[in-house]
Amino acid sequence: MPVLDPFIEPLRGTAAQTLIIALLMLSLLDVLMGSANAMFVQHDFSSHKFREGLIRKLSNLGVVIAADIVDGMLLGGLDLGYQPVLMTVTVSLALMELASLMEIYAEMHPEISAAPWYQMLVRSKDGINGEE
């Protein structure tokens, strides 16, 4: 359908496809590691928390779709040659997933919580959340 082409076009690029697949894989890994941590390390698995986590992952996907729509509008009238919104949103969400994976890993391995790189991650996250 020609009317949908501007919205499909941003997804045809190799970089966009790679980023979206990477984000989906990181999200899946985050869910799997978080579930394993809750079940086997923390012994505190909660289906309510699991559902909340899945809803957050789906909302991330919704933001990626919204970014694609914005990029489609830009490409439909203003061709910048790349997808600035989709790329920025997808990379930001992928970095959030990596930070989440590091937090889960540190919970599973408490000795890591004293590592300088982990302390830097905690301080940066606290700064973003306004918990300083």
Side-chain angles (χ1 to χ4, degrees), residues 10-26:
L11 301 176
R12 290 186 180 139
T14 304
Q17 289 176 3
T18 301
L19 282 171
I20 291 170
I21 291 170
L23 176 62
L24 292 173
M25 290 172 62
L26 287 169

Side-chain angles (χ1 to χ4, degrees), residues 25-96:
M25 290 172 62
L26 287 169
S27 295
L28 178 62
L29 184 60
D30 185 43
V31 168
L32 293 175
M33 282 185 66
S35 297
N37 180 43
M39 282 189 250
F40 304 114
V41 177
Q42 304 296 324
H43 304 289
D44 186 27
F45 182 82
S46 165
S47 60
H48 177 73
K49 287 182 182 178
F50 182 77
R51 282 191 304 274
E52 281 181 349
L54 286 179
I55 289 169
R56 279 196 309 272
K57 302 300 177 199
L58 288 174
S59 69
N60 288 347
L61 183 59
V63 169
V64 170
I65 291 169
D68 176 57
I69 291 169
V70 171
D71 277 341
M73 290 186 302
L74 289 173
L75 290 172
L78 174 66
D79 188 0
L80 299 175
Y82 66 101
Q83 303 84 31
V85 179
L86 180 63
M87 297 294 191
T88 302
V89 166
T90 307
V91 167
S92 298
L93 291 173
L95 290 173
M96 285 175 32

